[in-house]
Amino acid sequence: MQKTQDNWESENKVDSENLNHLKKRFGDSFYLFDLEQLRANYLNMFSAFKSRYSNIIIGYSYKTNYLPTLIKEISNLGGYAEVVSRIEYDLALKIRVDPKKIIFNGPLKSQEDIALALKEGSIVNLDSFYEIEIIKDLILKDKSKNYKVGLRVNFDMTIDGMSPLQDGFKQSRFGFCLENGNFEKALSELNKIENLTVVGLHGHCSTHIRSLKVYEKITQTLCDISKEYMSNTLEYLDIGGGFYGNVPETMQLNNVPSYDDYATTICSIMNKEKAHFKNEPFLIMEPGLSIVVDTFKFFCKVVDVKKNKNEYFVLVDGSVHNIKPTIYKKNTPMELVKTNKDVYKADKFNVVGCTCMEKDYLLIDYIGEIPKIGDFLIFSNVGAYTIVLNPPFIKERPPIIAKIGKNFKIVRQKEKLDDFINSNVYVF
Ligand SMILES: Cc1ncc(COP(=O)(O)O)c(C=O)c1O
């Protein structure tokens, strides 16, 4: 089939010929979003859990990547929206998510936010005592309706004598602490309100190990707490996100559980415990990274190659913010697309970005064929946090191209000055 601008026959592999085509259409740096991979990830997770436990809900964590095309697809697939701020809540409404399919979490919710979410019948999980004061104020004013809320629980997550929390924290900052009595205090405050029922528990935990033991602990602890305090009223247990998705071999991680492994562990606990509750509770999951990380690739052109002392520095049209905004050291998988016919020599090199920060490294001490000017580097596994945590800093943000079947569609334009420093927002 002939390659045309609007209907471009895709090959699985990007070579210099089809790259040329992409480059002409989309410029020297862009993201490619694979919509079908997103569908496959969602459906894999859904079927792994649904085949083992009947009442499941997948609420996609908006903050991980709220590209409208992506969140609309999740919604079309039946997924709920997990939001942690009013702006994310409003975004879900804007793409016409049924408010009953919005899970409102997060540490900061105003009185107005809570009032709206409760009125609309969204799932609201409270995180701190100030929200209980808001609830009292709101609900005591309106006794005509019955309201429901959930509570985020903070419990000791020590596994094999160590805290698995991300960034080495010993103690999570979120939720009502079980060990010091705050959880019980929060529950008893809320139970005093006649027309309010606590119907759910939330136990998300961001760990660096993402292991089965983490989910065994979360699921069992939530079951134990609800058996003790709310066996007649429980409607859902929300175990949060934090799962692994597809992990590329080059990342050299061992013992990465699959969705089937996670589902076997979690659902066996749910099935063992469900008889303790008046109604079979829903199991809610809030995946972010695992659903989206492998759906994005970042393409960028090599602009220069130079040596400082003995080290090679390859400058690209992009920055570390485009592939790992949290600036961790580990290298992300990279593929070199050669556009030169000359011989390539293998050596150690760094890939650096277009900002003026010394720490703007896309790859450090990478060993492979040294790229040449005009080549392209394709970084994969960059779908989590890159779109949402990509600051308007020095250079406009690149366009995002969605690959939908065999077609390519621009789903975010390359920014211009007025998008970067918006004159509706800034005073000129
Ligand atoms: C409450 C909550 N749910 C879900 C997630 C998604 O986690 P992940 O992207 O690791 O799946 C997060 C991430 O921090 C979170 O805070």
Side-chain angles (χ1 to χ4, degrees):
M1 190 196 233
Q2 217 203 320
K3 292 172 186 177
T4 65
Q5 285 254 320
D6 297 324
N7 180 12
W8 190 70
E9 175 80 8
S10 74
E11 284 93 45
N12 279 333
K13 189 150 174 51
V14 176
D15 57 25
S16 60
E17 195 200 344
N18 54 32
L19 180 73
N20 232 348
H21 194 86
L22 291 172
K23 194 172 70 176
K24 261 197 215 133
R25 257 186 100 178
F26 309 123
D28 288 348
S29 62
F30 54 88
Y31 288 101
L32 197 62
F33 163 48
D34 188 341
L35 194 83
E36 264 149 45
Q37 187 61 48
L38 177 79
R39 285 182 190 139
N41 292 347
Y42 179 90
L43 294 172
N44 276 346
M45 181 173 199
F46 185 81
S47 58
F49 281 88
K50 187 71 184 168
S51 60
R52 293 173 171 92
Y53 188 75
S54 49
N55 288 346
I56 70 150
I57 290 171
I58 296 185
Y60 168 65
S61 158
Y62 268 33
K63 69 184 149 302
T64 315
N65 183 333
Y66 36 64
L67 179 74
T69 311
L70 187 157
I71 53 179
K72 272 160 97 176
E73 188 61 29
I74 296 280
S75 180
N76 291 340
L77 290 165
Y80 282 38
E82 189 264 337
V83 305
V84 290
S85 66
R86 176 61 182 272
I87 206 131
E88 289 187 3
Y89 190 92
D90 289 345
L91 175 62
L93 294 182
K94 184 169 175 164
I95 63 151
R96 299 183 192 285
V97 174
D98 174 352
K100 293 190 176 54
K101 291 187 160 190
I102 303 179
I103 304 161
F104 199 166
N105 292 326
L108 186 71
K109 307 180 197 82
S110 70
Q111 173 140 355
E112 203 186 86
D113 301 343
I114 294 179
L116 174 71
L118 289 181
K119 177 173 136 286
E120 296 292 344
S122 305
I123 296 170
V124 179
N125 289 317
L126 309 180
D127 196 274
S128 293
F129 282 102
Y130 85 92
E131 289 169 279
I132 296 185
E133 294 311 309
I134 292 179
I135 294 273
K136 281 187 199 161
D137 199 44
L138 280 173
I139 294 181
L140 291 175
K141 277 190 208 138
D142 174 18
K143 298 218 161 142
S144 65
K145 242 182 109 187
N146 290 321
Y147 292 93
K148 295 173 178 180
V149 290
L151 290 182
R152 181 157 179 178
V153 200
N154 179 309
F155 47 89
D156 181 29
M157 273 301 295
T158 306
I159 291 176
D160 296 334
M162 306 231 292
S163 165
L165 296 183
Q166 269 174 4
D167 301 309
F169 287 104
K170 292 205 168 65
Q171 173 64 49
S172 164
R173 52 174 280 227
F174 298 108
F176 297 94
C177 178
L178 188 67
E179 286 84 19
N180 70 7
N182 273 348
F183 172 77
E184 206 166 56
K185 192 168 151 215
L187 197 60
S188 89
E189 290 283 297
L190 292 168
N191 283 343
K192 284 184 205 149
I193 308 173
E194 235 174 84
N195 54 330
L196 177 93
T197 317
V198 178
V199 295
L201 294 181
H202 181 223
H204 170 82
C205 187
S206 291
T207 71
H208 62 93
I209 52 176
R210 298 176 183 263
S211 69
L212 297 177
K213 281 191 179 172
V214 166
Y215 293 92
E216 204 178 290
K217 180 134 195 163
I218 295 174
T219 316
Q220 191 60 59
T221 307
L222 294 187
C223 285
D224 292 344
I225 302 170
S226 35
K227 278 193 290 187
E228 185 173 348
Y229 295 102
M230 45 204 288
S231 58
N232 284 330
T233 55
L234 186 74
E235 292 185 6
Y236 65 86
L237 293 178
D238 182 340
I239 61 168
F243 306 94
Y244 272 123
N246 297 321
V247 177
E249 266 174 36
T250 50
M251 295 192 104
Q252 294 179 329
L253 288 172
N254 298 321
N255 303 323
V256 172
S258 64
Y259 285 139
D260 277 319
D261 298 330
Y262 285 123
T264 304
T265 301
I266 294 162
C267 298
S268 70
I269 299 173
M270 292 300 290
N271 283 317
K272 166 175 73 85
E273 300 288 3
K274 67 184 182 191
H276 291 280
F277 306 109
K278 194 166 164 208
N279 299 306
E280 187 171 316
F282 275 89
L283 168 67
I284 302 181
M285 271 92 46
E286 302 171 347
L289 177 137
S290 64
I291 295 274
V292 298
V293 70
D294 65 341
T295 66
F296 271 64
K297 288 182 176 174
F298 180 61
F299 287 60
C300 52
K301 192 169 114 175
V302 174
V303 176
D304 190 43
V305 182
K306 70 176 175 192
K307 247 182 164 180
N308 281 356
K309 287 202 176 154
N310 285 328
E311 277 191 65
Y312 282 104
F313 291 88
V314 174
L315 174 70
V316 291
D317 187 333
S319 86
V320 67
H321 293 123
N322 297 126
I323 65 163
K324 42 182 185 182
T326 47
I327 316 191
Y328 54 87
K329 282 246 162 91
K330 206 167 182 161
N331 287 335
T332 8
M334 184 277 280
E335 186 192 333
L336 165 66
V337 183
K338 299 175 186 172
T339 58
N340 292 267
K341 294 236 154 51
D342 334 345
V343 178
Y344 281 70
K345 135 177 146 181
D347 206 336
K348 189 159 82 175
F349 62 89
N350 304 296
V351 175
V352 289
C354 60
T355 73
C356 301
M357 300 187 304
E358 281 290 0
K359 62 183 174 187
D360 188 357
Y361 280 73
L362 291 87
L363 293 176
I364 299 181
D365 289 343
Y366 188 86
I367 296 175
E369 288 180 306
I370 303 172
K372 294 184 189 293
I373 294 174
D375 290 348
F376 262 73
L377 305 189
I378 307 175
F379 293 90
S380 49
N381 243 46
V382 298
Y385 297 103
T386 45
I387 305 308
V388 294
L389 256 179
N390 191 192
F393 179 56
I394 298 187
K395 190 177 187 298
E396 69 277 31
R397 284 169 287 206
I400 303 175
I401 320 303
K403 179 169 168 278
I404 308 172
K406 288 175 175 170
N407 295 322
F408 291 81
K409 182 179 163 199
I410 297 185
V411 291
R412 185 180 81 179
Q413 304 284 350
K414 180 175 177 175
E415 286 180 331
K416 299 201 177 73
L417 176 63
D418 205 46
D419 309 308
F420 197 71
I421 306 175
N422 191 323
S423 47
N424 288 326
V425 179
Y426 290 89
V427 176
F428 275 78

